[in-house]
Every structure is written in C-alpha cells, then in structure tokens.
Amino acid sequence: MNGASPDPAAQAYADNVARNYGAPPITLVKGQGTVVWDAAGKRYLDFASGIAVNAVGHAHPHWVRRVSEQAGKLVHVSNLYRNEPQGELAGALVGRCGPGRVIFCNSGAEANEGLLKLARLHGVRKSGSEGACIGVVVAEKAFHGRTFGGMSATPQEKIQKGFRPLLTGFTAAPLNDLAAWDRAIDAQTTAAVLIETIQGEGGVNPADHAFLQGVERLCRARNVLFLIDEIQCGIGRTGRFFAYEHAGVRPDAIAMAKGLGGGFPIGAIWMASAHADLFQPGSHGTTFGGGPLAATAGLAVLEILEAEKLVEKVAERSVSWHARLRELVALRPDLVKEVRGAGYMVGVVLHVDPLPVVAALREAGLLSAPAGGVAVRLLPPLNASPEELAEAVAILRRVLGEWKAA
Ligand SMILES: Cc1ncc(COP(=O)(O)O)c(C=O)c1O
C-alpha cells in the first residue's frame, strides 16, 4: 500500500510472492530515462538502475524499437540453430575483449558457473587428471552469485548459511593483499583465481591496479587462469568498457551480465583463444542463452553506448560528480566516512547502518542500493545527465544534512 490509493501488487506480494527478498517497499510501474514512478504516482531518480542493469536508462527509444522489432520477427530458437543477433553480439564482444570466443547465458550467476567450469577444464588440462587441480582463489567479501558454484565462490556467511556442503576447492584471500594471494595460489592445485574488479555487493571495494597486475603475474607464472567478474562493474559503468581496463591487465576469461541487456536478462562469458576450445560440443549449454531477443537487447545497448559516447561521458561526468559527493564527508563527518568507486559505481561509505539511509533517500525521491552493510551504493544509468547527478547530490545533502545521529 502506498499513500491513500490501494496497491494490488502490494497485496499480491504479501499473499503469494516468496519472502526471500523481504517485503519490497514500493511498486514501480513506469520508467523513462533516469526516472521511475511508483503505483501512487510518486517520482524517483533511479540511481539503483535495477542493481547496475539499466545501463541506458528506462525505455530508451532505440532499445525499445530494436527489441520490439525483434520480438515481432524471431524470439527464440534454442542453440540447435544459429540466430543472427547472437553471432553479431559475440563478434562485438570479441572486438572489445580480444581474440577468443563467447558463450551466452541468462544471468550473472550462470556466467560465473561458466567460468568455474572453465577452471575445472583447465585444471584437467594442467594436471592430466580430474580432481587434482580444482582450486579457485577468491577475494574476501566477494559476491559471485547464488547458484552452488556462485555461493561456493562467495566467502560470506550470510550467503552460504543453510546451503552447505558447497563445492570444495575455494580459498578466500584478502583483496589487495598480494602477499596473501601469492601464498594462496598454488602452482599444482590452483586452477584459477576469480576477482571482481570492483566488489559491488561487498561494499564497493575496488581492486588496486597494482594488485590486479600482481595477481595476473602470479597466474601467468603458475599456469593459473586469471578470471574476472565484470558482472556489476562492466559494460561502461566505470568509464571504460570493462573496469579491468583501468589496470591494463588481460584476463583469461570474463563474466558479464547485468548492463549488457539494458534490462533484458542476458549473461555471457568471453574466453581468450588459448582457452576457448576447452569447451567442446556437449560440454556446456543452456536453452535460452543468446536467444535472438536477448542478443538484440545486448546489441541495442552497445549501439547506444557507441552512438551517444556514453562510456566517455561517464568518465568525464563522474569527475565533478565524485568531487561533489566527497563534500558529503565534510558536511557530515560523523555520518560519512568516505566516497569510493569509479565512474557511475559509487559507494558513499557510512559510519552507520546504510539501510535506514537508503529508505530515507527513497522517501526523498532517490533510489539507491545498500552495499556490504557499510555503504549507500549509487549506480545511475550511464546516460544520467549532469543535472540528474546534481539532483541526486542535492537529495543526499538534504537527507544526510538533516540526519539525526542515533
Ligand atoms: C559481481 C557479481 N557477480 C555475480 C552476480 C550475480 O548475478 P545475478 O544476480 O545476475 O545472478 C552479481 C549480482 O549482483 C554481481 O554483482
């Protein structure tokens, strides 16, 4: 229920939708660009973007046209047959990632499953037998998804609790502590490392460039796959197409999803040529992956990023936006600890629980997402304008400025 008008969705959720997401506070019914409206007609600036998904905002005319036209032409055929958009999107991703091959799927967790299966196949290639080389080193506070592989790669009690036993072979080491990764990566038994370039759910924690470079060197020296999870920070969000590009490293394989479809579910893994043939016919697949409609949504996103130079704009516009956000620390040093992240992936790190702050911001007309129990995460669409960035700062200043310390 919102305001005075009845909200049937609220009742339907209360009665029939499982409670794994708690009780969502509002019903969103419409979006345009960076703005969404709830069932009571209230307007919000959407700086959650469906958790880094709506890369080109809501109802972008080019995206809508491309997806609508494709929906009237061919929606699904399975991977028993070729479809034109999948081939085209694979080519576009290879063009951005480097020589290699792509497998499509439907979500971020599924993309990481693909990387973890690639790691197993590499382990067999490396050791000559199954089961001898299955180690995967991940970062503390990482988040890689809710499937069994994803949970196993996510060293967080709140994610794993109740679902054990999980997959074996995972070792967690502190992010940005290269010496710890040096100890954790074993030349014989480690098949891969898996790292988010900027941890999203863990609290917007960027991997240092020197750390990523150091891990890449360790991987090369020990024949270990250097796997990068760009599911949240990729597709232009940080002002480069992939966030790892800032560090100048070259992953062996990349998981992507979220922003790639601009709101339509799609995921993908890219694998460098040296590893792409580890998957042979029959070794991996999914019914829906890379369907013509999903692949067209992906193509539409890439076309918009190019035509509107959005990745470059994120890089430019975020400089002054970050500077304005950092002023929040001076405004309320008792509340705001620091502002971190890159481009349009920012964590306003608090000294207090971010949940009530996220709720107050929503009340004030700004959607954001909590991260890691420490930060208010801001993930505007990549086409959010300077005026919208300024409006978000104004709401943050008002809400934080008036915040009563407990
Ligand atoms: C870095 C990262 N990896 C994996 C996932 C899982 O993606 P999905 O929710 O699409 O399964 C997420 C989702 O938040 C993520 O941020």
Side-chain angles (χ1 to χ4, degrees), residues 12 19 29 66 81 94 109 115 160 174 211 214 233 242 253 284 287 292 362 397:
R19 299 183 203 276
V29 294
R66 288 285 262 124
Y81 313 102
V94 166
L115 292 191
Q160 297 186 346
F211 168 74
C233 58
F242 289 114
H284 193 46
T287 303
R362 186 176 63 241
R397 288 189 70 88

Side-chain angles (χ1 to χ4, degrees), residues 107-109 112 143-145 196 201 229 231-232 258:
S107 68
N112 280 335
F143 180 80
H144 295 294
E196 291 160 89
E201 303 308 308
D229 179 341
I231 289 162
Q232 188 160 147
K258 289 192 183 274

Side-chain angles (χ1 to χ4, degrees), residues 33-391:
T34 308
V35 174
V36 288
W37 288 266
D38 73 12
K42 182 174 158 119
R43 170 189 182 274
Y44 303 85
L45 212 47
D46 186 3
F47 275 40
S49 294
I51 319 185
V53 167
N54 302 103
V56 294
H58 297 273
H60 190 291
H62 180 74
W63 190 95
V64 171
R65 188 166 52 252
R66 288 285 262 124
V67 170
S68 311
E69 279 171 14
Q70 187 61 45
K73 192 171 157 197
L74 191 68
V75 167
H76 177 75
V77 292
S78 86
N79 287 301
L80 294 174
Y81 313 102
R82 286 189 290 270
N83 73 76
E84 290 167 333
Q86 176 172 159
E88 205 185 321
L89 184 58
L93 293 175
V94 166
R96 282 171 170 81
C97 302
R101 294 186 181 277
V102 176
I103 299 178
F104 289 101
C105 56
N106 312 287
S107 68
E110 215 184 327
N112 280 335
E113 290 294 321
L115 292 191
L116 295 174
K117 287 177 75 172
L118 185 74
R120 286 286 173 103
L121 294 175
H122 174 66
V124 173
R125 175 174 65 181
K126 179 171 161 178
S127 67
S129 64
E130 231 172 317
C133 176
I134 61 164
V136 178
V137 183
V138 296
E140 286 175 4
K141 299 190 186 158
F143 180 80
H144 295 294
R146 302 285 192 156
T147 52
F148 271 90
M151 286 192 295
S152 308
T154 298
Q156 295 189 43
E157 182 62 17
K158 69 171 195 260
I159 304 289
Q160 297 186 346
K161 187 170 188 282
F163 299 108
R164 298 184 185 103
L166 300 174
L167 293 183
T168 54
F170 290 85
T171 307
L175 187 70
N176 294 329
D177 180 346
L178 190 58
W181 285 66
D182 189 4
R183 288 191 296 276
I185 298 170
D186 181 79
Q188 257 66 53
T189 59
T190 305
V193 304
L194 175 60
I195 306 178
E196 291 160 89
T197 318
I198 301 180
Q199 292 182 339
E201 303 308 308
V204 190
N205 305 310
D208 296 340
H209 297 174
F211 168 74
L212 287 174
Q213 291 156 6
V215 172
E216 181 184 27
R217 270 195 307 277
L218 292 171
C219 288
R220 301 281 171 254
R222 295 173 196 175
N223 191 14
V224 165
L225 292 187
F226 181 48
L227 306 179
I228 293 289
D229 179 341
E230 288 266 337
I231 289 162
Q232 188 160 147
C233 58
I235 323 294
R237 183 146 291 283
T238 66
R240 299 292 289 266
F241 189 79
F242 289 114
Y244 71 75
E245 293 170 22
H246 294 282
V249 294
R250 295 196 65 81
D252 289 308
I254 304 163
M256 59 197 105
K258 289 192 183 274
L260 182 59
F264 199 95
I266 185 169
I269 59 171
W270 167 88
M271 302 163 287
S273 301
H275 317 297
D277 290 335
L278 284 171
F279 283 115
Q280 284 295 306
S283 57
H284 193 46
T286 168
T287 303
F288 291 116
L293 195 56
T296 299
L299 286 169
V301 167
L302 299 187
E303 287 155 5
I304 295 165
L305 296 191
E306 287 271 307
E308 300 182 12
K309 301 206 176 334
L310 291 184
V311 184
E312 296 83 344
K313 282 185 183 157
V314 167
E316 269 165 47
R317 292 170 174 175
S318 57
V319 175
S320 57
W321 186 47
H322 291 185
R324 294 296 319 279
L325 287 169
R326 280 195 297 271
E327 289 169 14
L328 295 168
V329 182
L331 178 78
R332 286 300 301 260
D334 58 323
L335 276 182
V336 184
K337 193 171 164 206
E338 62 169 321
V339 174
R340 62 189 180 215
Y344 282 13
M345 179 172 184
V346 169
V348 178
V349 185
L350 303 177
H351 293 294
V352 298
D353 179 2
L355 276 180
V357 177
V358 166
L361 291 169
R362 186 176 63 241
E363 228 4 74
L366 177 66
L367 300 186
S368 61
V374 296
V376 171
R377 195 170 15 156
L378 304 172
L379 302 160
L382 308 186
N383 52 358
S385 67
E387 293 73 29
E388 289 163 337
L389 298 177
E391 188 185 343

